[in-house]
Every structure is written in C-alpha cells, then in structure tokens.
Amino acid sequence: MGRFRGGLRCIKYLLLGFNLLFWLAGSAVIGFGLWFRFGGTMKDFSSEDKSPEYFYMGLYVLVGAGALMMAVGFFGCCGAMRESQCVLGSFFTCLLVIFAAEVTTGVFAFIGKGVAIRHVQTMYEEAYNDYLKDREKGNETLITFHSTFQCCGKESSEQVQPTCPKELLGHKNCIDEIEAIISIKLQLIGIVGIGIAGLTIFGMIFSMVLCCAIRNSRDVI
C-alpha cells in the first residue's frame, strides 16, 4: 500500500512539473505568435488594407492555443493537487483540443506554405503594377513591402527606385525575398506547433495514469 501511495505521489508531482512547463510554454507561444504578427518583419502589414491572411491564420491559431495552454496548465495543477478524476478528465480533454490545434497549425504551416507565399507575392505584384500606372500618386503598400522585406523591385529596381529603402545596398528581387522570408517564418511556426503537440502527448499520458491510479487507490481503500 505504501509503495502504491508513493507511486501515486510521484505521478502527481510529475504532472505538476509538466503543468508548470506547459504554462511557461503557453506564455512563450503567445509571445512568439504576437511578435510574429505585430513585430519583426511583418509588423508593417498590420495597418494595410490588404494583409497576408494565409500567413496570419496559423498565427491566430497558435496564439489561441497558447492562451488555452496557460489556462489548462493552471487547471491541471488544481486537478493533480486535489486528486480529482473529474478535473483530470477535463484536463485530458483540453489537452486533446490543444493537440489538435497545434497539429493543425503545424500541418498548415508546412503544407500551406506555397499558398501563403503566392498570396503575398500577388499582393506585391498588384502594388508594383499600381505604382507603375501612376507614379505621381505614390504607393504606400509598395513602400511597406520594400521596407519590410528589405528589397527593391523585381528583375530591376530602376522603375521603382523612389520607393526603395535608402539603407539598402545593391539590388534584391522582392519576389525572391518574399519567398525566402515567408518560407523561413512558416517553417518556424510549423516546428513550434508540432513541438507543442508532442509535449501535450506527455501531459495526456500523465493525466490518464494519475486518474487511473487515483481510481485504483480508492478501490483499494
């Protein structure tokens, strides 16, 4: 009986440790998603009428899952401390939802990468052509693209030189830069999503083992 209670206590502390790690991971995921959305390379697109929603969709899911992770981390600690089968069952269900959300984010980031890149490139093409039609009018969207991706024009920068960043040295094709930068960012989002999904599997295992151990201990009593 003493060994059984000792094993139950060990599982409980493992789950508490997991929930602390899970809460911290949730905080990191929220910060990661918000920085990608409103900071770094893509921040200037937040105020544009046309924004790369294909790119942002994965970030919205990631931030939502991060907020849920923080709530679930606290929820799981309560269930482990109180040794409540009901709370632990609810905790398992929440982890399953987070697992599905993170896998969806990861798969979308890897599989939908081409669609997102083409979407942003199309936005650039439209801004580029609008500027060539009326150069006197100017084009804030084109300036934003050049500033964000630190590039200028396509095959040549001569036609859109006034909209190029002054600090840019040499010519960089914006079509190529968009593909490279968006690809890297979506790969990072995919890795984070799949990594968190893997972490939730351990949480589900711990919660189910603890739930079964609590039920068995009550049957013995």
Side-chain angles (χ1 to χ4, degrees):
M1 184 66 182
R3 290 182 179 179
F4 184 83
R5 294 299 301 178
L8 179 63
R9 190 178 297 110
C10 179
I11 296 171
K12 182 168 71 174
Y13 288 137
L14 280 174
L15 186 57
L16 286 172
F18 167 82
N19 280 300
L20 176 61
L21 179 63
F22 203 62
W23 189 89
L24 292 173
S27 304
V29 167
I30 291 176
F32 178 81
L34 291 177
W35 181 80
F36 258 151
R37 176 63 178 87
F38 298 108
T41 305
M42 303 300 293
K43 65 180 180 180
D44 293 326
F45 285 105
S46 302
S47 58
E48 294 294 323
D49 293 333
K50 295 180 180 179
S51 60
E53 290 302 322
Y54 284 101
F55 176 77
Y56 293 142
M57 193 180 299
L59 294 180
Y60 296 145
V61 174
L62 201 63
V63 171
L68 185 59
M69 285 170 64
M70 293 184 68
V72 168
F74 177 77
F75 194 52
C77 285
C78 294
M81 291 299 295
R82 295 180 61 183
E83 296 186 4
S84 169
Q85 288 180 280
C86 180
V87 175
L88 287 172
S90 300
F91 173 70
F92 177 88
T93 303
C94 290
L95 285 181
L96 192 59
V97 172
I98 293 173
F99 176 80
E102 296 295 350
V103 168
T104 301
T105 300
V107 170
F108 171 82
F110 287 115
I111 295 180
K113 181 170 63 175
V115 177
I117 290 172
R118 286 193 296 272
H119 180 66
V120 179
Q121 287 175 336
T122 300
M123 288 173 54
Y124 178 78
E125 294 275 5
E126 291 175 355
Y128 184 90
N129 292 332
D130 287 344
Y131 176 79
L132 294 183
K133 289 177 182 177
D134 189 357
R135 300 190 185 194
E136 297 298 327
K137 181 180 178 182
N139 192 304
E140 290 297 325
T141 302
L142 190 61
I143 293 173
T144 299
F145 264 106
H146 289 163
S147 175
T148 299
F149 292 98
Q150 285 298 295
C151 59
C152 186
K154 294 189 287 185
E155 290 78 10
S156 172
S157 61
E158 293 181 3
Q159 293 180 307
V160 292
Q161 191 63 48
T163 65
C164 297
K166 294 180 180 179
E167 65 274 13
L168 181 66
L169 299 176
H171 170 65
K172 287 185 179 181
N173 189 315
C174 282
I175 300 299
D176 295 337
E177 290 299 309
I178 288 170
E179 181 176 359
I181 292 174
I182 296 296
S183 179
I184 291 172
K185 288 186 176 293
L186 284 176
Q187 284 179 0
L188 286 175
I189 293 171
I191 290 169
V192 170
I194 298 299
I196 296 299
L199 184 63
T200 59
I201 292 175
F202 290 100
M204 289 189 284
I205 293 172
F206 288 149
S207 63
M208 282 296 97
V209 170
L210 181 58
C211 191
C212 293
I214 291 170
R215 183 179 58 192
N216 292 336
S217 68
R218 290 174 180 173
D219 290 340
V220 170
I221 294 173

